[in-house]
Amino acid sequence: MNIANEVRPGGNRYVSYEGSVKELADYLKPFKKIAFVTGKKSFKIFSDYYQKEIDNVFYYDGTASYEDGERLSNLIGEADVVVGIGGGRVLDTAKITADNLKAETVLVPTLISNCAPFAPVAAVYYPNRSFRGVGYFEKSAYLTLVDPTLLLTTPEDYFVAGIGDTLAKWYEIEGILRFLNDEEKTAYIRLAVSSAKMIKELLLEDAEQGIEDLKNQQVTPAFIRLTDTIIALAAEVGGFGGIYGRSAGAHALHDGLSYLEETHEELHGKKVAYGILVQLAYTGDLGEIVTLLPFYDKVGLPTKLAELNVSNTGFDYLVPVLNHAVSPEESFVLLDSSITPEKLYEAIVKVESLGNK
């Protein structure tokens, strides 16, 4: 059994409308033993909006690690459902915890930054916050509860990071597609490619307006489209495409960057967005980078390592990043099985030399 290759379109139920979180108690009626997994900042934002008392609240340690999931499941002991409230790492921790407890999962995002609220997988880290791998679970979320009004509390930099992370769906699957023969391009992979292309078009069309709407605290059609694109559509591309739809060069570089401590406070989607440029440089698509740079500038995505708090761009310093990104267990090999640290570094140098902010 290879669960990584199974078609997993998303959670069991995706609910998205203004005020949905206010009705959380109604959605939880089928369950008797309920445990809430959250972060302190996330829970404060949720509580200010929900304005009802809840019990059995457990706080994660910020790592999204198997170790923290085990700690939480031991504290909880038994539950019918684990309700995750927060951003990507909180929600991935809730998935790990629920899997340990053999419980259902209800996921309530408090910000728009990635597809974790709907994806049936988790980005798992070690306790030191370096990347460990993708976690797979037999169960998808019982319910993903999205409330655009609550999500207006998303900090702008998280929203921008979500745009960057989601943009990678097209560039990564398109890059992989070049190396698949027609027999490998199954119906679901073709659907994933079509969906990823639409995602790119939606982001390029709505991103600037959506960011402006967030600043003005307005729920608009553009804001809702971006919300559903970042949270749900992105997750479904990975669900349809399996290992071919989840990550390639951009995410591999992100994972490598996690080995530099100075990047730990930098947002996932911003590191992935930089990784898109590096992947395009590696595949020789410099013209596409030039096309993307104005969009990056307008929405605030990074085009230089310095914008990710990495000031030393020398080869020797970046060796831990490069070695991990090109390792056999990482996804850059889906683009080139013969990739080396030296080849990847050449791509980084090309990106660093393009334009200046």
Side-chain angles (χ1 to χ4, degrees):
M1 181 179 74
N2 186 356
I3 195 171
N5 285 331
E6 294 177 1
V7 175
R8 305 283 297 280
N12 176 54
R13 298 166 66 187
Y14 182 78
V15 177
S16 177
Y17 62 90
E18 292 184 70
S20 65
V21 166
K22 298 283 189 180
E23 300 176 3
L24 176 61
D26 292 332
Y27 285 106
L28 294 178
K29 282 181 178 178
F31 305 104
K32 293 181 180 179
K33 297 180 180 179
I34 304 169
F36 294 85
V37 170
T38 187
K40 292 186 177 180
K41 291 181 180 178
S42 301
F43 191 63
K44 175 67 165 59
I45 292 168
F46 168 83
S47 298
D48 288 347
Y49 182 75
Y50 190 56
Q51 295 187 337
K52 296 176 185 176
E53 293 292 327
I54 61 174
D55 299 317
N56 298 321
V57 178
F58 301 85
Y59 295 102
Y60 89 130
D61 69 1
T63 63
S65 63
Y66 286 128
E67 290 81 358
D68 195 40
E70 182 176 1
R71 176 186 68 86
L72 288 165
S73 57
N74 288 336
L75 285 173
I76 293 167
E78 187 177 357
D80 298 325
V81 63
V82 173
V83 182
I85 300 172
R89 292 202 182 206
V90 173
L91 301 186
D92 283 346
T93 302
K95 296 173 196 177
I96 296 168
T97 305
D99 188 63
N100 290 342
L101 296 170
K102 306 302 179 187
E104 298 287 356
T105 314
V106 169
L107 301 176
V108 183
T110 56
L111 50 80
I112 313 162
S113 62
N114 51 52
C115 64
F118 201 51
V121 299
V124 183
Y125 293 79
Y126 289 106
N128 68 1
R129 299 197 178 193
S130 61
F131 185 74
R132 182 170 190 161
V134 177
Y136 296 92
F137 312 102
E138 291 186 1
K139 282 188 176 183
S140 299
Y142 169 82
L143 170 70
T144 296
L145 194 59
V146 174
D147 189 331
T149 307
L150 170 61
L151 292 174
L152 285 174
T153 61
T154 302
E156 183 181 338
D157 57 343
Y158 279 82
F159 193 39
V160 170
I163 292 168
D165 188 39
T166 308
L167 185 64
K169 289 298 178 184
W170 165 249
Y171 287 103
E172 291 189 302
I173 199 169
E174 188 277 331
I176 292 171
L177 191 70
R178 302 179 192 184
F179 301 96
L180 299 183
N181 59 46
D182 286 342
E183 291 182 357
E184 292 174 306
K185 297 174 186 175
T186 65
Y188 271 109
I189 288 175
R190 292 171 192 239
L191 178 59
V193 171
S194 296
S195 300
K197 185 176 182 180
M198 185 184 71
I199 282 172
K200 176 192 172 187
E201 292 169 354
L202 283 167
L203 293 175
L204 295 181
E205 178 183 334
D206 287 330
E208 289 181 71
Q209 183 61 54
I211 293 170
E212 192 65 25
D213 296 335
L214 179 70
K215 291 177 179 177
N216 295 329
Q217 292 291 282
Q218 294 178 331
V219 174
T220 66
F223 182 77
I224 292 173
R225 281 195 299 270
L226 278 175
T227 298
D228 291 337
T229 298
I230 293 169
I231 293 176
L233 296 189
E236 289 177 327
V237 169
F240 294 144
I243 60 171
Y244 299 124
R246 294 198 178 101
S247 63
H251 275 82
L253 188 69
H254 159 276
D255 300 343
L257 285 168
S258 72
Y259 285 81
L260 298 181
E261 188 174 352
E262 63 264 42
T263 71
H264 288 178
E265 299 305 317
E266 299 298 322
L267 297 176
H268 170 94
K270 291 196 172 184
K271 286 181 277 189
V272 170
Y274 178 79
I276 293 173
L277 303 182
V278 174
Q279 178 186 308
L280 288 171
Y282 187 86
T283 54
D285 296 298
L286 297 181
E288 187 65 19
I289 295 178
V290 173
T291 300
L292 275 178
L293 288 180
F295 176 75
Y296 271 51
D297 287 339
K298 287 178 182 177
V299 302
L301 291 171
T303 62
K304 296 285 185 292
L305 279 172
E307 296 171 80
L308 297 174
N309 205 33
V310 179
S311 57
N312 188 339
T313 60
F315 178 84
D316 290 342
Y317 186 75
L318 295 179
V319 161
V321 177
L322 302 168
N323 284 344
H324 181 85
V326 306
S327 60
E329 63 271 17
E330 262 298 345
S331 51
F332 224 123
V333 296
L334 295 173
L335 301 173
D336 180 7
S337 59
S338 64
I339 187 172
T340 64
E342 290 77 12
K343 289 180 181 178
L344 181 55
Y345 183 69
E346 288 176 9
I348 291 174
V349 171
K350 287 178 183 178
V351 172
E352 292 294 310
S353 67
L354 286 171
N356 289 295
K357 280 193 173 182

